[in-house]
Amino acid sequence: MNLKNVAPLLIVAILGMVSILLPIFIYGDLKPYDSPLFPLIRTGIEGISRYSLIFLLLSGFIVKLFSNLPFWQIGPMSMALFPLAAICEMIADSSSHNMFPFEFIMYGFLTIPAIIGAITSQVIRGFVIRKQ
């Protein structure tokens, strides 16, 4: 891995987390969920909304617009912090996340909006570069 790619990868991971957490504050009436370590993350995942998906799409679009990362790295990195948080919670409380394989599959599906955003950005950049 090239060191110049580390910063965009960290940025897309943070933007992915923000994309899931920000709608919690947009929707003030979400039911708060209990969790061993990260109750805010669980509330964001349990209360996922179209805003979360739009923010994930925009995250992929923006990171691809300003970096040369391939889209297939941007998508998975947008959700990389969530399985890590789930593993930490499973270590802290072994009775939590008893359906973790399905949870990890859901995280895989949640990479799709960021991938679509990155591909869209790549296509738009291609059109702009060709016109110049």
Side-chain angles (χ1 to χ4, degrees), residues 67-90:
S67 74
N68 290 325
L69 287 176
F71 67 88
W72 56 268
Q73 286 181 351
I74 291 173
M77 234 9 231
S78 68
M79 286 286 114
L81 296 178
F82 293 98
L84 293 175
I87 290 169
C88 290
E89 286 188 344
M90 284 187 280

Side-chain angles (χ1 to χ4, degrees), residues 45-84:
I45 290 295
E46 297 285 342
I48 198 157
S49 67
R50 64 177 171 226
Y51 290 119
S52 300
L53 300 177
I54 291 169
F55 292 149
L56 284 169
L57 187 116
L58 288 173
S59 297
F61 184 87
I62 290 168
V63 170
K64 181 61 181 171
L65 191 63
F66 294 108
S67 74
N68 290 325
L69 287 176
F71 67 88
W72 56 268
Q73 286 181 351
I74 291 173
M77 234 9 231
S78 68
M79 286 286 114
L81 296 178
F82 293 98
L84 293 175

Side-chain angles (χ1 to χ4, degrees), residues 2-130:
N2 195 347
L3 283 178
K4 70 179 183 176
N5 289 341
V6 171
L9 287 172
L10 288 174
I11 289 170
V12 76
I14 292 168
L15 285 174
M17 183 66 76
V18 168
S19 297
I20 299 298
L21 296 180
L22 193 59
I24 294 172
F25 303 107
I26 293 173
Y27 291 120
D29 59 347
L30 279 179
K31 175 186 177 264
Y33 287 90
D34 192 29
S35 179
L37 296 176
F38 308 110
L40 200 59
I41 292 175
R42 180 165 180 215
T43 301
I45 290 295
E46 297 285 342
I48 198 157
S49 67
R50 64 177 171 226
Y51 290 119
S52 300
L53 300 177
I54 291 169
F55 292 149
L56 284 169
L57 187 116
L58 288 173
S59 297
F61 184 87
I62 290 168
V63 170
K64 181 61 181 171
L65 191 63
F66 294 108
S67 74
N68 290 325
L69 287 176
F71 67 88
W72 56 268
Q73 286 181 351
I74 291 173
M77 234 9 231
S78 68
M79 286 286 114
L81 296 178
F82 293 98
L84 293 175
I87 290 169
C88 290
E89 286 188 344
M90 284 187 280
I91 291 170
D93 181 11
S94 62
S95 66
S96 69
H97 299 275
N98 55 358
M99 303 274 291
F100 74 90
F102 299 109
E103 182 180 358
F104 287 9
I105 290 169
M106 185 190 73
Y107 295 146
F109 282 119
L110 287 175
T111 64
I112 294 171
I115 291 172
I116 291 171
I119 290 172
T120 305
S121 178
Q122 184 174 346
V123 168
I124 290 173
R125 275 174 72 180
F127 284 136
V128 170
I129 290 172
R130 275 190 232 147

